[in-house]
Amino acid sequence: MGEVELSCLAYVKMYLHGCLFPRCSVNGLLLSSSPAGGAVCVTDCVPLLHSHLPLAPITQLGLTQVDVWCAQTQQRIVGYYQANACVSDNSPTPCALKIADKIAEQCNNAVLLMIDGGKMSPDYRVPPIVMYERKDTRWTLKDKHTIMLRQWEETREIANQLLDSGDHSLLVDFDSHLDDITRDWTNQKLNAKIAELASPANAFTAALPPGGGTVSIVKFTWISLTARGRQQTVKSMSINHMLLELHRMKRQWLRDPASTNIEIQCLTDMTLR
Amino acid sequence: CYIFQKGCGRKDCHHILNSSPSFDNWNVLIIVFTEMRDKLRKWREDNHRNSEQIVDVGEELINEHASKLGDDIWIIYEQVMIAALDCSRDDLAWTCLQELKRQFPGSQRVKRLAGMRLEALEKYEDASKQYDSILQDDPTNTAARKRKISILKAQGKSAEAIRELNEYLEQFVGDQEAWHELSELYINEHDYGKAAFCLEELMMTNPHNHLYCEQYAEVKYTQGGLENLELSRKYFAQALKLNNRNMRALFGLYMVSSHI
């Protein structure tokens, strides 16, 4: 069927939701701010529950509230994601199928996304997601080539960084909102943080000479001492990744100058046009 | 130690005496230590599963202030070990286990902890054998039986876990934790009728617990049908009566009323 693109924001929030509640099944909704028709572009997600997923009242409440919010912000619900508590089993549960069916009634190209817990390690080469689409009345695996995740490495690094700095506890899902009604389930603060990390303009700007030129691909190792004296070594190759790492180093350095040693080595020169 | 002087003879004071910080540092050291110990005690009594925090605080307590803890240290070792298993810190769990084994050789409680460590390493066969050996010596050991059921749950064998848990509850009818676990297993299997039964048992023995009322109401709502919806409304209302800040009960009451 159609192509699906998953944005950095949606992926990072889903990932953090799974990491925040590692012992529970979690689920949530996928939203899109682009108009209907053509490729589905998932631009945001709303984490819903982390307990009693198959029970109806709170799920219905969540769907209704998200629907209303979407209408106000020109978004639409285009999918559903779930991560099972049992790491070895990532097949959709009956309640996942039910909710996805409901969403598909409103949106033709709805997607069902299962997060594969076993593949959620920090340096995994492909996104740990399994996507399903609706063919006739059954949900079948989507062809991997129709799923796009731009700049996977950068997205993964952003997720890892938020996890390391403990910012994943800023994520508010609908369940947490019901426990403390003052918390914001639209996660505006976290969205802003992710946007800040995703835009390399915030970090050191590398000016490319107009019309192409030579830029060094930098390999650097950054050794930082965390609170327990553990050392982290980061090697980066792409420009975006490097800018992200510089931004991260700057934050760490601002936090605690004594703990950060930076060593930069220039490797090769490569011409970019 | 309330005597901030070198040469104080109290045996749990030598840590501070050996360093020679200023008076203020001593004050802070003691305050920090008692705070940490009290935090751990509070988390232990409330049965919190904030394992990362427990590992942070507990590890420092064990490494820096072991001598000041006295007999508390053994229960802290147990608490920190379980939290370490939860955070995949096998190194820390192993040290705690060794200390406990040395102090309490042949104890059933320590055997159960060794079994939990095997579970964490996903060596389910070995863990099962460990629990079986506990049950051979003491067939009424509830902890070992419950761990065996947890192994079934971890392996995804929910039907067997449900069967074993039912058998367990026939013998130990008063185990609240087990009834709640059974209700969760039934909910995940979409068997709402039996889940409702488990919650009814819990409500009978805990009539003032608003959470059980509210969960029961949610299950009844999910079952659907006019009778169940009316019951659901009753129990949402009851949950609100018991705790008028329960948002789920409030929203639930509103939603079920608009359905009837």
Side-chain angles (χ1 to χ4, degrees):
Chain A
M1 248 166 116
E3 286 199 337
V4 175
E5 187 189 327
L6 198 55
S7 74
C8 171
L9 183 66
Y11 176 79
V12 171
K13 288 211 296 203
M14 279 198 301
Y15 185 85
L16 293 183
H17 193 203
C19 292
L20 190 56
F21 301 105
R23 297 140 194 151
C24 319
S25 298
V26 296
N27 69 1
L29 298 172
L30 301 171
L31 309 177
S32 168
S33 53
S34 53
V40 173
C41 183
V42 177
T43 49
D44 197 359
C45 77
V46 172
L48 275 184
L49 307 175
H50 58 264
S51 66
H52 299 140
L53 270 61
L55 290 182
I58 307 300
T59 311
Q60 287 181 359
L61 179 68
L63 276 166
T64 318
Q65 289 216 352
V66 174
D67 223 0
V68 168
W69 181 63
C70 281
Q72 292 170 346
T73 52
Q74 277 87 45
Q75 295 179 68
R76 2 170 241 129
I77 302 181
V78 292
Y80 168 85
Y81 74 84
Q82 184 171 311
N84 289 330
C86 194
V87 159
S88 50
D89 171 29
N90 63 347
S91 52
T93 58
C95 84
L97 295 171
K98 222 191 286 177
I99 301 177
D101 280 339
K102 249 207 166 96
I103 296 176
E105 279 169 27
Q106 305 286 337
C107 162
N108 273 336
N109 298 344
V111 290
L112 168 62
L113 207 156
M114 298 299 296
I115 300 183
D116 188 347
K119 304 200 172 106
M120 270 172 82
S121 59
D123 51 3
Y124 209 76
R125 266 177 286 120
V126 293
I129 56 183
V130 181
M131 231 188 247
Y132 296 79
E133 60 181 358
R134 205 185 156 103
K135 270 203 169 69
D136 306 321
T137 47
R138 291 179 64 245
W139 289 90
T140 48
L141 272 177
K142 207 169 161 64
D143 179 13
K144 279 197 212 122
H145 298 108
T146 55
I147 307 171
M148 277 203 298
L149 223 166
R150 279 189 228 270
Q151 300 174 321
W152 159 241
E153 308 241 316
E154 283 81 2
T155 305
R156 188 186 63 194
E157 287 308 314
I158 292 176
N160 286 342
Q161 183 177 346
L162 286 168
L163 205 54
D164 283 339
S165 58
D167 284 335
H168 63 299
S169 53
L170 289 176
L171 185 82
V172 180
D173 68 355
F174 203 70
D175 244 346
S176 315
H177 168 73
L178 289 175
D179 287 334
D180 176 0
I181 206 94
T182 56
R183 299 183 76 189
D184 166 31
W185 54 264
T186 61
N187 287 297
Q188 299 301 341
K189 274 203 188 142
L190 190 63
N191 284 358
K193 258 208 159 83
I194 296 174
E196 187 196 307
L197 289 174
S199 72
N202 242 351
F204 305 88
T205 36
L208 294 178
T214 312
V215 175
S216 305
I217 296 288
V218 172
K219 173 194 170 204
F220 59 86
T221 33
W222 163 36
I223 302 179
S224 100
L225 291 173
T226 60
R228 288 194 212 90
R230 277 201 282 251
Q231 289 188 334
Q232 277 175 326
T233 310
V234 177
K235 298 188 188 82
S236 82
M237 294 303 279
S238 76
I239 291 283
N240 267 346
H241 196 187
M242 173 189 85
L243 291 173
L244 188 65
E245 281 306 322
L246 284 171
H247 178 69
R248 187 178 173 187
M249 283 193 287
K250 171 181 157 192
R251 284 179 62 180
Q252 173 81 4
W253 187 84
L254 286 172
R255 232 183 280 151
D256 182 7
S259 76
T260 317
N261 291 327
I262 302 174
E263 192 187 278
I264 302 189
Q265 278 173 305
C266 276
L267 254 191
T268 60
D269 288 314
M270 193 172 107
T271 312
L272 288 177
R273 287 180 217 293
Chain B
C1 168
Y2 306 106
I3 306 171
F4 302 109
Q5 292 168 29
K6 277 195 192 165
C8 154
R10 290 164 62 116
K11 62 176 164 115
D12 55 349
C13 197
H14 64 266
H15 247 136
I16 300 179
L17 296 177
N18 285 338
S19 60
S20 48
S22 69
F23 184 85
D24 285 333
N25 284 10
W26 283 342
N27 233 335
V28 166
L29 272 173
I30 290 189
I31 291 173
V32 162
F33 154 70
T34 44
E35 254 185 44
M36 293 200 285
R37 188 192 55 195
D38 293 339
K39 263 195 215 169
L40 278 182
R41 184 184 323 147
K42 179 165 173 289
W43 292 331
R44 197 165 56 231
E45 285 165 11
D46 292 341
N47 218 352
H48 265 189
R49 198 174 171 176
N50 52 338
S51 303
E52 285 93 357
Q53 282 180 300
I54 293 179
V55 163
D56 267 342
V57 174
E59 189 174 16
E60 194 178 326
L61 209 58
I62 293 173
N63 289 339
E64 309 288 320
H65 306 281
S67 51
K68 296 202 270 295
L69 286 166
D71 275 332
D72 268 351
I73 197 167
W74 309 115
I75 199 155
I76 289 183
Y77 270 133
E78 183 183 32
Q79 182 183 12
V80 172
M81 179 185 167
I82 296 180
L85 289 177
D86 217 6
C87 298
S88 295
R89 287 283 312 272
D90 191 47
D91 52 327
L92 181 58
W94 181 245
T95 19
C96 294
L97 186 61
Q98 295 302 89
E99 294 293 320
L100 286 166
K101 267 193 188 157
R102 203 177 310 159
Q103 181 71 8
F104 305 104
S107 146
Q108 305 285 37
R109 199 160 152 179
V110 176
K111 264 193 187 172
R112 166 193 162 236
L113 289 174
M116 282 176 83
R117 182 177 162 268
L118 290 169
E119 272 186 77
L121 298 170
E122 298 197 309
K123 296 183 174 151
Y124 296 123
E125 300 289 332
D126 296 333
S128 214
K129 283 202 201 106
Q130 182 87 342
Y131 298 133
D132 283 332
S133 86
I134 299 180
L135 286 169
Q136 253 182 351
D137 293 334
D138 176 14
T140 62
N141 190 313
T142 56
R145 280 184 79 165
K146 289 200 267 194
R147 288 317 311 168
K148 288 190 73 174
I149 296 172
S150 308
I151 292 180
L152 289 171
K153 190 175 170 194
Q155 292 175 310
K157 298 176 178 162
S158 30
E160 286 182 40
I162 288 178
R163 195 180 48 219
E164 295 286 319
L165 194 46
N166 269 312
E167 275 177 29
Y168 170 84
L169 280 167
E170 274 170 34
Q171 265 193 290
F172 301 96
V173 187
D175 191 335
Q176 315 275 323
E177 194 184 62
W179 278 114
H180 200 225
E181 186 61 40
L182 186 57
S183 81
E184 297 244 353
L185 285 171
Y186 276 133
I187 289 175
N188 285 331
E189 293 297 304
H190 302 272
D191 196 342
Y192 302 117
K194 302 215 179 91
F197 176 74
C198 299
L199 287 164
E200 280 164 14
E201 289 283 328
L202 284 168
M203 285 197 296
M204 271 202 307
T205 44
N206 300 283
H208 298 294
N209 188 324
H210 64 103
L211 293 170
Y212 293 149
C213 287
E214 178 247 303
Q215 277 185 26
Y216 182 73
E218 283 191 36
V219 170
K220 283 290 160 193
Y221 180 108
T222 314
Q223 273 184 295
L226 189 58
E227 274 177 31
N228 288 326
L229 286 180
E230 293 199 344
L231 260 177
S232 170
R233 179 170 60 181
K234 277 201 195 116
Y235 279 95
F236 274 132
Q238 175 74 357
L240 270 178
K241 204 165 90 166
L242 293 169
N243 177 0
N244 62 0
R245 290 170 154 239
N246 186 331
M247 291 310 299
R248 289 190 178 85
L250 189 57
F251 277 117
L253 182 61
Y254 174 77
M255 291 177 65
V256 76
S257 307
S258 53
H259 273 276
I260 295 185

